[in-house]
Amino acid sequence: MKSIDTVIFDLDGTLLYTLEDLRDSVNYALEQMHYPKRSLSEVQKFVGNGIYRLIERAVPEKTALQQVNQTFEHFKAHYIVNCNNKTKPYDDIMVLLAELKMRGYKLAIVSNKNQAAVEKLSAIYFKGLIEVSIGATETIHKKPAPDTVYKAIEALNSSTEHAIYIGDSEVDIQTAVNANIPYVSVSWGFRTTEFLKEQGASTIIDTPLELLTILEEVKTGV
């Protein structure tokens, strides 16, 4: 890896524990449609490809498109109001971000969560730390397409040669591969270490502060 000055993070499962709020909004939407509710472990398996795909997976099999869309609208309306009820940063994430900022790294969030929720949570937790926060919109391809990563890099006035991507899922691994940038997978999120290894992850960290060691090794050429 060449010298890294730009660190791009996934949001859900990487910076923030959001699973219970996602579960609650999914079940609110399902309840409005008189569908069976989903467990926390089920929702954990469903996340990663954006909230529409989350709802597609959560509704009963063979649900008609119109009902899927209606469920999705219920979810969006509930989640934007309730996205921070139980959500919190993972342990030492705030310490990590403050240290990266102090060391001069450019920081960004790239998420498949919708843009409004990304902006809301970023403003609550990461104001003054993370400069760019990009979520899903109708005008740009979501992960694992590299488009949102490229957009973040451009907004930070950086380049792929100097960027690294941090995430917790197979979608994040493929995103980094598609963007042709190095990546680090985290074990504290929504996928297991074993699963990440099966998906090709070669560098996996168990605590946020381990990232500082990796970046320092890159800088010193170790």
Side-chain angles (χ1 to χ4, degrees), residues 77-193:
H78 187 270
Y79 187 69
I80 194 62
V81 176
N82 295 278
C83 66
N84 194 42
N85 293 345
K86 301 170 184 175
T87 287
K88 59 183 179 180
Y90 288 99
D91 290 346
D92 287 333
I93 283 294
M94 302 309 295
V95 177
L96 169 66
L97 295 177
E99 184 65 25
L100 290 173
K101 188 72 173 178
M102 187 184 72
R103 296 185 185 187
Y105 286 95
K106 302 172 183 179
L107 307 179
I109 290 169
V110 168
S111 173
N112 276 346
K113 187 191 292 292
N114 71 304
Q115 183 68 36
V118 170
E119 288 178 353
K120 180 175 180 177
L121 291 172
S122 183
I124 291 170
Y125 292 104
F126 309 124
K127 187 175 182 180
L129 290 172
I130 295 181
E131 303 165 56
V132 173
S133 298
I134 297 174
T137 67
E138 295 180 357
T139 60
I140 191 167
H141 295 298
K142 69 179 189 300
K143 301 183 297 183
D147 303 45
T148 48
V149 170
Y150 293 154
K151 184 177 179 180
I153 289 171
E154 182 180 5
L156 291 171
N157 194 29
S158 185
S159 69
T160 55
E161 292 183 343
H162 302 293
I164 191 169
Y165 188 89
I166 318 299
D168 73 298
S169 75
E170 70 280 11
V171 175
D172 296 311
I173 293 171
Q174 193 58 53
T175 300
V177 170
N178 290 341
N180 195 30
I181 61 175
Y183 63 89
V184 172
S185 296
V186 308
S187 66
W188 59 80
F190 299 160
R191 302 290 189 266
T192 65
T193 297

